[in-house]
Amino acid sequence: MKHRTPNILIIGAGAIGCTLAWHLSGANAHITLLARSTSLQAITQNGIRLYKDGTLQGTRAIETASDFPSNSVWDAIFICVKQYDLAQTLLSLQHIKCDSTVIIPLVNGIPWWLLQTHEKLRSEAPATWGNTYASYPKIDLGCVVGGVIHIPAQMRDACTVEQGSRDTLVLGELDGTMSDRLTQLVATINHSDLQCKCSTHIHHDLWNKLLGNAVFNPVSALANATMYQILHEANLRTLCALLIAEVMSVGNALGYPQDISVEQRLQQAEYAGNVRTSMLQDALAGKRIEGETLVGVVAQIARCVDVQAPTLDSIWALLQSRFMRAG
């Protein structure tokens, strides 16, 4: 990214994409939001309204586009779609030149680049990880910066987003270096109301978040329970503890050890309050869930690194049985 007003494209007008667009539009950056159908019309006409902890923070006009603006030069492209839609999105970015543009996928679950770069996983065929990962196009990973987002958000309507109290992102080069493009991108984000950190171990940061996503999302969807209900019902809390221990074991085998206990991770989750996880929201809305990328792939990684994860296997089987369109 050059020392000028950065030109940033955000792909996806869901909760994360709209939250990011709203904040970065106040960060001395030129923002374009790629949106579709109802969202495109609503945001073009009304802008984006953002609430934080129930209080309206304001409405901001956001430039929109319905298709990828191929003639523009982008300093950064944030991809904020469900991971089962990511492969199709990346097809439109194969022409991107890494010397001028950085691509930052902000998705839940295991990203394709981790599977392609980890020494214990990269020799596996893409189909090993499931249908979602089998269809990924070839993308120069030199263009990619890893991202982990810690911003709870959900849409109230097509142009109104409700953000929770957390507002942090973590970005890092896949090889752990502290590059100029990384520091400049983080500086741009920090000119907004968001808090962004540089990381030299983005793989580890990603696994830290997965430790929550791979546990609480499927349990909440299967039990139709909020985070508060999960953590305050004895059997569900015990189930979550078993899952956390297994995901931790898989992480240990990959070189991502945790510095907290299972009980401490459960206590951390209690700060989420009485919220619905993203998988529960999708299940209740009859949408496709991110089962494969949050749960199924972790169960498969466990097998590849010879870690026993019977609870994780059972939860994945239940997700497939209960939600026929599971990712």
Side-chain angles (χ1 to χ4, degrees):
M1 297 178 65
K2 305 296 188 290
H3 293 283
R4 55 175 171 77
T5 302
N7 197 28
I8 296 176
L9 176 67
I10 300 172
I11 300 178
I16 295 301
C18 285
T19 299
L20 198 62
W22 190 92
H23 284 285
L24 292 186
S25 66
N28 191 32
H30 180 261
I31 305 300
T32 301
L33 178 63
L34 185 64
R36 306 284 181 178
S37 60
T38 304
S39 297
L40 175 68
Q41 181 178 1
I43 294 170
T44 302
Q45 293 180 351
N46 305 312
I48 294 176
R49 290 184 294 269
L50 184 134
Y51 286 79
K52 187 171 183 180
D53 293 331
T55 301
L56 179 63
Q57 303 299 302
T59 301
R60 293 180 176 176
I62 304 294
E63 183 174 326
T64 57
S66 58
D67 293 300
F68 184 82
S70 57
N71 294 327
S72 298
V73 177
W74 306 100
D75 295 293
I77 300 175
F78 288 92
I79 307 178
C80 306
V81 301
K82 295 291 188 180
Q83 191 161 180
Y84 49 67
D85 290 328
L86 183 57
Q88 185 63 38
T89 301
L90 289 173
L91 280 172
S92 63
L93 304 181
Q94 288 182 296
H95 67 286
I96 293 297
K97 296 180 179 179
C98 298
D99 58 350
S100 59
T101 304
V102 59
I103 299 171
I104 311 100
L106 294 176
V107 295
N108 279 333
I110 300 290
W112 89 100
W113 53 258
L114 187 148
L115 299 172
Q116 292 181 4
T117 57
H118 196 284
E119 61 181 4
K120 292 186 177 181
L121 307 175
R122 62 192 178 201
S123 62
E124 299 288 339
T128 300
W129 313 117
N131 294 331
T132 299
Y133 297 96
S135 59
Y136 270 87
K138 290 186 177 180
I139 291 288
D140 184 350
L141 294 184
C143 296
V144 178
V145 162
V148 180
I149 190 160
H150 300 285
I151 302 177
Q154 58 184 357
M155 299 301 296
R156 288 191 175 188
D157 57 40
C159 61
T160 306
V161 62
E162 172 76 43
Q163 179 190 336
S165 56
R166 298 192 70 184
D167 57 4
T168 59
L169 298 86
V170 182
L171 302 182
E173 295 284 1
L174 305 191
D175 61 4
T177 59
M178 191 64 70
S179 65
D180 287 342
R181 70 178 187 178
L182 174 63
T183 55
Q184 291 173 24
L185 178 59
V186 168
T188 296
I189 296 173
N190 282 331
H191 275 104
S192 73
D193 295 328
L194 300 175
Q195 309 297 315
C196 191
K197 301 176 182 178
C198 292
S199 173
T200 56
H201 41 71
I202 193 65
H203 299 72
H204 197 290
D205 296 313
L206 185 146
W207 200 268
N208 286 343
K209 184 178 181 185
L210 180 76
L211 192 58
N213 280 339
V215 173
F216 302 117
N217 270 281
V219 172
S220 69
L222 290 167
N224 190 17
T226 65
M227 286 292 291
Y228 180 89
Q229 291 168 327
I230 289 171
L231 294 165
H232 289 82
E233 200 286 318
N235 290 331
L236 292 178
R237 189 181 179 99
T238 298
L239 174 60
C240 288
L242 291 171
L243 285 168
I244 289 173
E246 291 182 1
V247 177
M248 280 184 171
S249 294
V250 179
N252 288 338
L254 293 175
Y256 310 137
Q258 299 295 312
D259 57 3
I260 61 174
S261 68
V262 171
E263 180 57 30
Q264 286 172 324
R265 186 62 185 85
L266 288 168
Q267 291 172 3
Q268 284 183 356
E270 291 174 353
Y271 289 102
N274 197 38
V275 301
R276 293 173 173 172
T277 67
S278 60
M279 189 178 289
L280 176 57
Q281 292 177 45
D282 288 342
L284 291 174
K287 297 180 179 179
R288 182 180 179 182
I289 66 168
E290 294 181 287
E292 191 169 77
T293 57
L294 287 179
V295 184
V297 68
V298 185
Q300 183 59 39
I301 291 174
R303 288 186 281 273
C304 289
V305 296
D306 295 323
V307 170
Q308 298 297 312
T311 312
L312 191 64
D313 285 334
S314 296
I315 289 295
W316 174 223
L318 283 170
L319 282 178
Q320 292 174 291
S321 174
R322 183 79 63 84
F323 305 104
M324 299 303 294
R325 294 184 294 165

